[in-house]
Amino acid sequence: MNNKEFTSELSRRLGYTLKDTSELMSSMLTTMADRLQDSNVVAIQGFGSFEVKKKAERISINPTTKQRMLVPPKLVLAYKPSTTLKDKFK
């Protein structure tokens, strides 16, 4: 399901116009991104939680040249599904 299909299905279920639903989704995603940039956890009840985690610095080895490289630390987005959602897929 792509973004357009999801937006049209959501607008049909909520009874909103396609434009209103698109604005609602855009606003929600912008708010979530802002909270995640501030290193806050975003939890959606019944769905799961999103958080920014810091991956530590590590050493990687190129398999062909056997050269060691230092991979710098970086921030990654992590998602943890809720137990309710996990139970639905068992």
Side-chain angles (χ1 to χ4, degrees):
M1 177 178 269
N2 62 26
N3 189 30
K4 188 175 180 179
E5 292 169 342
F6 180 72
T7 305
S8 63
E9 177 66 22
L10 189 61
S11 69
R12 186 187 64 77
R13 287 187 184 195
L14 295 176
Y16 294 153
T17 65
L18 199 56
K19 182 180 178 186
D20 289 343
T21 307
S22 181
E23 289 174 2
L24 176 71
M25 284 181 46
S26 176
S27 175
M28 182 188 73
L29 293 174
T30 301
T31 303
M32 284 178 65
D34 290 344
R35 297 293 181 262
L36 289 168
Q37 283 180 339
D38 296 336
S39 298
N40 293 328
V41 175
V42 176
I44 301 171
Q45 187 176 1
F47 184 71
S49 60
F50 298 89
E51 70 178 303
V52 176
K53 291 187 177 184
K54 184 177 182 181
K55 288 188 89 173
E57 177 176 80
R58 62 188 174 90
I59 295 175
S60 175
I61 300 173
N62 184 333
T64 56
T65 64
K66 306 293 186 214
Q67 181 183 8
R68 301 177 122 214
M69 297 177 286
L70 185 65
V71 178
K74 64 180 178 176
L75 300 175
V76 294
L77 183 61
Y79 167 71
K80 182 180 177 187
S82 71
T83 54
T84 307
L85 189 63
K86 284 182 187 178
D87 291 341
K88 285 185 180 182
F89 290 105
K90 282 188 178 180

